[in-house]
Amino acid sequence: MSLIVNSNQFPLNIKKLESFNCYVFYGPNQGKSDELINQYIKMLSNSSSIPVDQINCNIENIKNSNLIEDYMYSDDIFGKKKVLIISLSNPDKLLKTLNIEKIINSKGCKIIIKTEELKKSSFTRKLFEKDSNLCIVASYEDSVQDSRKIISENLAQEHLHIDNSLINYLAINFKHNRNLLYQELEKIKLFLFSKGKINEKEFVSIVSESINFELEKLVYAIVSGKIKILDKLFNQVSKNGIPNLSIISAVSKHFHKILLTKSYFNEFNSYEKAIKSTYPPIFFKNEREYLEQVKNWPLKRIDQIVKKLLLAEIKIKSNPSQSDVLTNYILFSITRLANKIIKSI
């Protein structure tokens, strides 16, 4: 029986998980993985009077020396607990060379491997998900509620405040990676320390270079039929490390949001009220373009697109090697259709 731990459950069971010697933390939310690992190290430090000797390394360290062997099996004259944290883009190659049984039975050292997204077919996931002596933790995006809590608590520690609409926007757009969220919060806090308060325009000027705003630009370009800038925006988003499935999901969510706004319009007979009622909220700088999208896209076309996006997602998950081809095709076809719809109006 494997030990697969939900990242939200890890802090609640952290003491029970102390007995394991080998862990993998994986997933796109690297900031969440970092926090869980730090909590684990803190727990080890507090659980006894024996100090913890922590070493962080990457694949280059491992290539240049027998670091793991040297570190794990050498005696520590001070009797410290040893923790080796290894950051790898693909841990399969390393794990194939290690004596896993020896690590499991080691009494003096723990190994933590941190990596990004892992395919279910990867050697690492297969190994850790079938062995009950190994622990694997998946760190995916936070909920909007969790992100809001992180933002509010972080600002409250400095006795700072921003409007709920800005908190919502940060929570929605940076829930996929806490590291990015903290980076944006640091920029906002520096501004607040200097100016005392922040309005929406100042907020945009501070955070508009962040990668989720690039994703938002791409989504709006697709739904508005902006063929000429599609390649440039798509390449920028891909370069920033956003997976194809996340892009497709973002486009799908945007169309669902348009459907929601249309339903509110039928209820209120007012586009202004419909947009104000839509959740997640539309950021003020996008309201005009979003309104045009709501007016331009017919319900029948949206239903067709949502089904195609779902089918594309299924195909990519079943055939990851074709991810780029399938993503490019579906995004271009939607943009071309949007352009055709707009020209026909």
Side-chain angles (χ1 to χ4, degrees), residues 316-337:
I316 289 172
K317 287 180 178 178
S318 62
N319 192 4
S321 63
Q322 294 297 308
S323 176
D324 289 342
V325 174
L326 291 167
T327 302
N328 274 290
Y329 174 77
I330 188 69
L331 297 185
F332 181 76
S333 64
I334 295 171
T335 310
R336 185 172 55 186
L337 176 59

Side-chain angles (χ1 to χ4, degrees), residues 120-138:
K120 197 166 182 65
S121 59
S122 70
F123 176 83
T124 301
R125 282 190 62 175
K126 284 183 176 180
L127 173 66
F128 274 74
E129 290 179 358
K130 74 177 182 180
D131 195 324
S132 60
N133 295 305
L134 302 172
C135 181
I136 186 165
V137 183

